[in-house]
């Protein structure tokens, strides 16, 4: 790795406002003085001892005094070296404190929240104006993906996950449970008026590619309902919200997740089709890294999500289900 920070984009930077030696050389000198060893400084800075020695010699040549006395066991500071080290150590320490303070300040006002595409679209985002009105000082970064592996734990403070509440090294809090039932457009329902659960295998079915171990597709739904079927030959979609759009466009039946489509059913945009209802083996959980404390912003967002989830539990109670 090049160790001369005076070079940038092939152009040598000339004229230093503070008339100081290279900041790289000063950092090398400070590390060498702190360790009383060029070798240990090289290890800390991930360079060779000879590179450290060159930087020290360069700074000594530039200011015109000897800073170290070399001996067989390491280096000892001269009087001039002691003076320079004292100033640098204090300055670097104060700079480090300022950087940490800035990081803490930013972290206190920002939080990253991860969830699936359909959960964000159908449940979370419609609720967020309430949070923004109450906490305009907090910036929420939404990380949205249906693939949980797209979220690196170090980058996410809070996550809404669907499952059974047990994930390695994550603290989880239950938000609300779930059940599923067939839904379609009002036009499709009118066209197939009088159909019953036993007719489902013979109707246009819209399915979603496998999302997770607790995801219920048409194959699972038909088997749970005890309906004879061979292989599934309906249309498949890569995302649940796209399948929903197809259903709303009169193209067939999709399995609706109660907590996601309940409002659409109440509004009449979608209608339940037959009396089939299946209890989901999983629920929605709010999770975070069990090994780290949540930031102030994350704590506020967590408490708000708890509150809104309680309203959801009270307003959209599970239906009678098929086990």
């Amino acid at each position: 790795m090049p160790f001369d920070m005076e070079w940038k984009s092939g152009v040598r930077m000339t004229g230093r406002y503070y008339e100081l030696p290279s900041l790289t050389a000063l950092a090398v000198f400070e590390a060498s003085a702190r360790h009383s060893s060029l070798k240990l400084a090289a290890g800390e800075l991930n360079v060779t001892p000879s590179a450290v020695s060159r930087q020290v010699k360069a700074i000594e040549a530039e200011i015109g005094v000897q800073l170290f006395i070399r001996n067989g066991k390491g280096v000892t500071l001269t009087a001039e070296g002691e003076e320079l080290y004292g100033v640098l150590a204090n300055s670097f320490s104060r700079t480090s404190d300022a950087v940490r303070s800035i990081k803490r300040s930013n972290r206190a006002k920002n939080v990253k929240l991860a969830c699936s595409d359909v959960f964000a679209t159908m449940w979370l985002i419609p609720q967020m104006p309430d949070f923004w009105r109450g906490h305009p000082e907090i910036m929420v970064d939404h990380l949205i993906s249906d693939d949980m592996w797209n979220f690196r734990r170090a980058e996410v403070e809070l996550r809404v996950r669907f499952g059974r509440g047990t994930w390695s090294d994550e603290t989880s809090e239950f938000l609300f449970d779930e059940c599923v039932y067939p839904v379609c457009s009002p036009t499709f329902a009118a066209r197939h008026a009088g159909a019953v659960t036993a007719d489902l295998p013979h109707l246009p079915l819209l399915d979603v590619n496998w999302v997770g171990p607790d995801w219920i597709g048409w194959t699972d739904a038909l088997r749970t309902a005890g309906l004879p079927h061979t292989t599934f030959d309906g249309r498949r979609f890569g995302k649940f919200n796209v399948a929903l759009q197809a259903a709303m466009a009169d193209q067939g039946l999709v399995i609706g997740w109660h907590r996601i489509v309940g409002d659409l059913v109440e509004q009449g945009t979608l209608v339940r089709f037959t009396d089939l209802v299946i209890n989901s083996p999983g629920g929605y959980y709010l999770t975070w890294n069990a090994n780290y404390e949540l930031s102030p912003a994350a704590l506020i967002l967590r408490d708000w999500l708890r509150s809104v989830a309680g309203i959801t539990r009270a307003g959209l109670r599970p239906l009678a289900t098929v086990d």
Side-chain angles (χ1 to χ4, degrees):
M1 178 180 65
F3 213 71
D4 185 0
M5 299 298 291
E6 295 178 329
W7 290 87
K8 186 178 182 181
S9 300
V11 179
R12 185 174 181 81
M13 295 184 288
T14 61
R16 299 175 183 141
Y17 183 81
Y18 291 104
E19 298 184 358
L20 292 173
S22 159
L23 291 178
T24 296
L26 290 173
V28 170
F29 165 75
E30 188 277 336
S32 301
R34 179 161 32 86
H35 289 293
S36 297
S37 168
L38 303 185
K39 182 178 180 180
L40 292 179
E44 176 184 314
L45 299 170
N46 195 30
V47 296
T48 64
S50 60
V52 170
S53 180
R54 286 195 298 272
Q55 290 289 328
V56 170
K57 289 179 180 178
I59 196 172
E60 288 178 327
E62 181 168 347
I63 64 179
V65 297
Q66 185 176 359
L67 300 174
F68 289 117
I69 298 173
R70 280 86 171 161
N71 55 58
K73 297 181 179 180
V75 291
T76 303
L77 288 167
T78 63
E80 294 82 359
E82 288 277 7
E83 181 180 1
L84 180 59
Y85 172 66
V87 172
L88 282 178
N90 180 61
S91 298
F92 285 172
S93 177
R94 292 176 61 186
T95 302
S96 177
D97 289 342
V99 170
R100 281 196 295 267
S101 176
I102 292 170
K103 286 182 176 179
R104 282 195 299 268
S105 177
N106 286 341
R107 189 167 180 259
K109 298 177 182 178
N110 293 270
V111 57
K112 288 186 171 71
L113 171 64
C115 64
S116 68
D117 188 354
V118 67
F119 187 86
T121 303
M122 306 298 293
W123 188 89
L124 178 63
I125 298 304
Q127 313 275 1
M128 286 303 296
D130 175 69
F131 180 80
W132 296 328
R133 283 190 294 268
H135 304 282
E137 77 285 1
I138 295 177
M139 180 67 68
V140 179
D141 295 331
H142 296 275
L143 305 182
I144 299 172
S145 175
D146 289 330
D147 185 353
M148 68 176 184
W149 300 111
N150 287 342
F151 304 131
R152 289 193 290 270
R153 182 174 295 165
E155 295 180 350
V156 176
E157 284 195 273
L158 294 172
R159 175 192 283 182
V160 177
R161 303 185 68 168
F162 183 82
R164 303 180 190 232
T166 54
W167 293 280
S168 176
D169 294 326
E170 287 193 49
T171 299
S172 65
E173 285 191 3
F174 176 76
L175 294 179
F176 37 79
D177 51 14
E178 186 60 288
C179 62
V180 303
Y181 42 75
V183 293
C184 61
S185 70
T187 302
F188 185 94
R191 192 162 61 242
H192 298 278
V196 295
T197 299
D199 297 319
L200 289 173
H202 310 293
L203 296 173
L205 303 180
L206 310 175
D207 210 3
V208 181
N209 289 336
W210 185 86
V211 176
D214 298 308
W215 184 264
I216 298 175
W218 272 114
T219 298
D220 300 314
L222 297 176
R223 181 173 58 248
T224 301
L227 297 175
H229 66 286
T230 54
T231 59
F232 176 79
D233 57 358
R235 295 173 58 194
R236 293 186 180 275
F237 298 84
K239 290 181 177 292
F240 179 61
N241 56 359
V242 178
L244 277 181
Q245 290 295 321
M248 288 187 281
D250 309 329
Q251 297 177 28
L253 292 159
V254 69
I255 293 178
W257 293 73
H258 185 53
R259 304 300 186 178
I260 301 300
V261 305
D263 285 342
L264 294 175
V265 172
E266 286 188 3
Q267 296 162 11
T269 304
L270 291 170
V271 297
R272 289 184 56 196
F273 192 85
T274 75
D275 59 357
L276 176 64
V277 183
I278 300 172
N279 191 38
S280 169
Y284 296 94
Y285 290 81
L286 181 63
T287 76
W288 58 90
N289 193 328
N291 300 313
Y292 295 96
E293 293 184 3
L294 292 175
S295 69
L299 290 172
I300 291 172
L301 182 57
R302 182 195 65 182
D303 292 344
W304 176 82
L305 285 167
R306 287 170 171 169
S307 175
V308 178
I311 295 172
T312 295
R313 287 195 300 271
L316 279 174
R317 297 184 182 279
L319 308 172
T321 60
V322 174
D323 294 326

